[in-house]
Amino acid sequence: MDIPESTDKFKELFYEHYTVVRRKLAALVRDESAADDLAQEVFLKLYRNPPDDPQAVGAWLHRVLTRTGYDYLNKKARERLLQERQEIFYDAGAAPPSGEEAVLSKLEQEDVRQWLDELPDRDRQALLLRYSGYSYAEIAGKLGVRPPVVGTLLSRATQKLKQQAAEALPQTE
């Protein structure tokens, strides 16, 4: 089968196999836009270097899409590793906290934990969820309240926490 000479045959193969190739790539790489790009790459390889046996196109496509998908995943893993190494390198350049700073930070954390422990359970949970990165909708689901109530709940919990901090800290005049 000489695909470059027979663009009609290539179009036929493309339309016959594209959806399956793209679906398998999407399942493999778990990224829809990357699957589109990789499927194009697979068919470009088919166009440039078709298999010798026209009956083996399905198996050939499967082998090429699998290899292309794994190459993509390996590339992404290498990029993540490189980025993590760069972040570690740049974070290592920052000066470590002094002993005094470390002790003060630990004391502050202990104070905040104590103030949080004195809050009602729902208030404490709401604050911890919010500062752990949960959205209002997720907090509402965890606490069993309607999403519009979460803002009010967080505001009141924050006020209670501030009040406890103000009472616990020495007043300077």
Side-chain angles (χ1 to χ4, degrees), residues 15-53:
Y15 289 121
E16 180 181 344
H17 294 281
Y18 179 80
T19 55
V20 173
V21 168
R22 194 204 164 283
R23 185 177 69 241
K24 287 181 178 180
L25 282 165
L28 180 63
V29 301
R30 305 224 184 263
D31 181 343
E32 295 294 325
S33 62
D36 289 335
D37 293 341
L38 295 172
Q40 289 178 8
E41 189 177 321
V42 167
F43 281 98
L44 187 59
K45 289 177 184 178
L46 174 64
Y47 186 81
R48 290 181 178 161
N49 189 17
D52 296 331
D53 181 10

Side-chain angles (χ1 to χ4, degrees), residues 97-117:
S98 68
E100 182 181 350
E101 290 171 335
V103 169
L104 288 174
S105 175
K106 186 169 176 60
L107 289 173
E108 288 172 0
Q109 289 175 2
E110 289 173 1
D111 287 342
V112 172
R113 281 191 194 111
Q114 181 181 354
W115 300 330
L116 280 169
D117 286 342

Side-chain angles (χ1 to χ4, degrees), residues 17-95:
H17 294 281
Y18 179 80
T19 55
V20 173
V21 168
R22 194 204 164 283
R23 185 177 69 241
K24 287 181 178 180
L25 282 165
L28 180 63
V29 301
R30 305 224 184 263
D31 181 343
E32 295 294 325
S33 62
D36 289 335
D37 293 341
L38 295 172
Q40 289 178 8
E41 189 177 321
V42 167
F43 281 98
L44 187 59
K45 289 177 184 178
L46 174 64
Y47 186 81
R48 290 181 178 161
N49 189 17
D52 296 331
D53 181 10
Q55 303 300 319
V57 170
W60 185 93
L61 284 171
H62 181 75
R63 186 174 66 248
V64 172
L65 81 85
T66 302
R67 184 74 262 144
T68 303
Y70 282 132
D71 288 347
Y72 171 81
L73 291 173
N74 288 336
K75 178 183 172 196
K76 287 296 179 189
R78 286 191 310 272
E79 288 173 356
R80 272 193 307 273
L81 182 62
L82 178 61
Q83 184 173 357
E84 289 171 6
R85 286 181 180 169
Q86 287 174 339
E87 289 173 359
I88 289 171
F89 176 76
Y90 288 114
D91 287 345

